[in-house]
């Protein structure tokens, strides 16, 4: 490990990137420090950040592939060296960079003989392939290969069960939505006068879809969103149904008024995207994942649908309605 001379302030908590390098197209490395920390704080932050980096960061992956006239996953296509299963495994390794939410389509349409690589994938706008040389298949005869792909953004590991796909010839791909390949941390203690302080060293390796610095910032935001819940008033009961019914009645009376008023401005609201509203990152990301892209989409969700959104609670709905009430285009008199 390279030893750097690090000057640490004894007054203000600061972080710094001390090393950043791109080892290959699909492997980036970053080393960061955070100091000065009181005794024990470095372990607390290091453990939480490691878990968040590995499990809470998001990335875009290929999740499904659809072939023409393929009876089963282990079928071998005439004129193609790889089996369908091997092609699916190669597609799983492709690294994409995108901030699009929801499900999108991509395509491979080539004619052999030739090697098929990730460069041959026709992607939606704003989706980028990190390594264009990634191998997919080898066509040895003058035949056409057409594959329809499904891509989406998520986090963690998703194991998809193979269902009856005989009709549409599509096959799921076990997606690894984990842009951070590895991370570890170390703690170094030092004395300043009579006080003992700690320095946290954090190392991050990513697959190239995020830089280590971007991964660190995304994981930090997601941790903050999780802990923000404890700053809200404590709910009286853990019974979610009773709590929702008790707290949401006046809220959704306002929501119904907003919906009725919005009917008159339906066209305008269909072109007012949630990106333009001042939603928190957590709410914005959750709405995008639920295919809510405009204020019109949002206002057409009822009480049950809003509360069923993943990671959503009554406080999130309160925040949404407070934003909606402040928007000049559809503010109403609530008295």
């Amino acid at each position: 490990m390279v030893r750097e001379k690090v000057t640490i302030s004894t007054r203000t908590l600061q972080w710094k990137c001390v090393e950043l390098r791109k080892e290959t197209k699909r492997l980036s490395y970053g080393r960061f420090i955070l100091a000065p920390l009181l005794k024990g704080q470095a372990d607390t932050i290091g453990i939480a950040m490691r878990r968040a980096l590995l499990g809470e960061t998001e990335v875009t992956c290929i999740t499904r592939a659809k072939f023409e006239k393929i009876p089963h996953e282990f079928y071998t296509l005439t004129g193609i060296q790889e089996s369908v299963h091997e092609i699916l495994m190669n597609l799983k390794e492709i690294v994409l960079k995108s901030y699009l939410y929801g499900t999108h389509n991509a395509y491979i349409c080539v004619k052999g003989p030739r090697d098929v690589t990730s460069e041959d994938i026709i992607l939606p706008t704003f989706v980028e392939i990190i390594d264009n040389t990634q191998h997919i298949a080898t066509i040895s005869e003058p035949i056409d290969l057409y594959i329809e792909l499904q891509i989406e953004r998520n986090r963690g590991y998703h194991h998809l069960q193979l269902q009856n796909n005989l009709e549409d010839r599509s096959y799921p791909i076990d997606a690894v939505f984990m842009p951070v390949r590895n991370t570890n941390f170390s703690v170094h203690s030092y004395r300043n006068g009579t006080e003992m302080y700690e320095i946290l060293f954090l190392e991050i390796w990513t697959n190239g879809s995020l830089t280590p610095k971007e991964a660190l910032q995304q994981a930090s935001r997601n941790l903050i969103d999780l802990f923000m819940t404890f700053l809200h008033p404590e709910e009286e009961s853990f019974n979610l149904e009773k709590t929702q019914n008790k707290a949401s009645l006046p809220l959704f009376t306002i929501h119904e008024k907003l919906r009725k008023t919005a009917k008159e401005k339906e066209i305008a609201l269909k072109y007012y995207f949630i990106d333009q509203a001042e939603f928190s990152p957590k709410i914005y990301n959750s709405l995008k994942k639920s295919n809510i892209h405009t204020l019109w989409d949002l206002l057409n969700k009822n009480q049950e649908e809003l509360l069923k959104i993943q990671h959503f609670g009554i406080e999130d709905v309160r925040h949404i309605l407070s934003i909606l009430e402040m928007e000049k285009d559809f503010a109403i008199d609530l008295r």
Side-chain angles (χ1 to χ4, degrees):
M1 182 182 292
V2 179
R3 292 182 178 271
E4 303 90 353
K5 185 178 179 181
V6 181
T7 303
I8 300 296
S9 167
T10 58
R11 296 182 180 178
T12 308
L13 187 64
Q14 297 176 335
W15 73 281
K16 183 181 178 181
C17 177
V18 294
E19 188 177 358
L20 195 62
R21 65 174 183 265
K22 192 171 184 178
E23 298 183 348
T24 65
K25 288 183 179 180
R26 288 182 277 168
L27 186 61
S28 297
Y29 170 80
R31 188 161 175 254
F32 308 87
I33 61 171
L34 178 67
L37 295 163
L38 298 178
K39 188 172 177 60
Q41 288 182 340
D43 277 323
T44 301
I45 297 172
I47 292 169
M49 285 305 303
R50 187 176 187 279
R51 295 293 296 268
L53 283 163
L54 293 173
E56 296 296 326
T57 48
E58 298 180 336
V59 73
T60 302
C61 291
I62 299 172
T63 56
R64 186 171 287 274
K66 180 179 178 181
F67 297 81
E68 291 184 333
K69 301 176 182 179
I70 302 299
H72 55 78
E73 184 182 357
F74 300 98
Y75 186 77
T76 301
L77 294 160
T78 304
I80 298 178
Q81 292 183 10
E82 293 81 3
S83 67
V84 173
H85 177 73
E86 289 172 326
I87 293 175
L88 292 175
M89 292 301 98
N90 291 335
L91 290 170
K92 179 179 177 178
E93 296 299 318
I94 291 174
V95 180
L96 302 175
K97 181 175 183 178
S98 170
Y99 295 98
L100 293 177
Y101 283 94
T103 301
H104 302 273
N105 292 327
Y107 306 91
I108 297 175
C109 187
V110 294
K111 185 176 182 64
R114 57 171 297 178
D115 286 334
V116 183
T117 66
S118 54
E119 188 176 17
D120 297 307
I121 302 176
I122 304 170
L123 291 164
T125 310
F126 306 120
V127 180
E128 175 187 347
I129 295 175
I130 297 302
D131 185 1
N132 287 329
T133 64
Q134 284 180 265
H135 179 73
I136 296 175
T138 301
I139 307 176
S140 56
E141 297 182 11
I143 60 171
D144 295 326
L145 175 64
Y146 177 79
I147 308 175
E148 184 178 334
L149 305 173
Q150 176 182 292
I151 63 173
E152 63 178 275
R153 183 178 174 85
N154 213 320
R155 68 181 65 174
Y157 174 73
H158 287 228
H159 175 68
L160 301 175
Q161 295 293 332
L162 182 63
Q163 299 172 347
N164 184 7
N165 297 295
L166 294 179
E167 292 184 5
D168 65 357
R169 310 297 181 190
S170 68
Y171 299 90
I173 298 174
D174 294 337
V176 182
F177 297 100
M178 299 170 68
V180 176
R181 292 285 182 86
N182 190 21
T183 178
N184 57 46
F185 69 93
S186 58
V187 180
H188 299 262
S189 300
Y190 70 98
R191 183 180 294 277
N192 182 28
T194 59
E195 297 292 330
M196 287 295 296
Y197 293 96
E198 294 180 340
I199 305 174
L200 173 66
F201 284 82
L202 188 63
E203 294 180 292
I204 302 171
W205 290 263
T206 68
N207 65 359
S209 61
L210 289 177
T211 66
K213 187 179 290 187
E214 289 172 335
L216 179 63
Q217 292 170 341
Q218 186 185 129
S220 300
R221 283 194 297 268
N222 291 337
L223 270 182
I224 290 169
D225 285 341
L226 289 172
F227 287 118
M228 281 292 290
T229 305
F230 293 110
L231 299 181
H232 299 314
E234 182 183 359
E235 297 290 346
E236 293 181 5
S237 170
F238 270 126
N239 189 321
L240 188 58
E241 255 182 56
K242 290 182 180 178
T243 305
Q244 288 174 352
N245 293 336
K246 188 175 180 181
S248 62
L249 183 58
L251 270 178
F252 285 93
T253 302
I254 295 172
H255 184 244
E256 289 303 319
K257 289 183 180 180
L258 287 170
R259 289 175 64 186
K260 289 177 183 177
T261 305
K263 284 285 184 182
E264 303 170 3
K265 301 176 182 178
E266 175 179 345
I267 296 176
L269 290 175
K270 283 182 177 179
Y271 293 94
Y272 196 122
F273 294 93
I274 62 172
D275 310 61
Q276 300 168 256
E278 296 182 357
F279 293 130
S280 68
K282 173 193 171 184
I283 291 176
Y284 172 81
N285 291 336
S286 297
L287 292 176
K288 280 287 188 181
K289 288 179 184 177
S290 301
N291 289 321
I292 298 174
H293 304 290
T294 66
L295 294 187
W296 179 250
D297 297 335
L298 184 57
L299 288 168
N300 274 281
K301 294 291 181 181
N302 59 33
Q303 172 177 348
E304 290 76 18
E305 289 170 330
L306 283 176
L307 289 172
K308 282 180 181 178
I309 294 176
Q310 190 176 15
H311 305 308
F312 249 44
I314 196 67
E315 290 298 331
D316 297 311
V317 177
R318 282 197 181 100
H319 178 69
I320 288 175
L321 294 179
S322 67
I323 295 294
L324 295 181
E325 290 174 47
M326 290 188 293
E327 296 294 336
K328 293 181 180 178
D329 289 338
F330 59 93
I332 60 173
D333 184 6
L334 300 176
R335 291 175 295 176

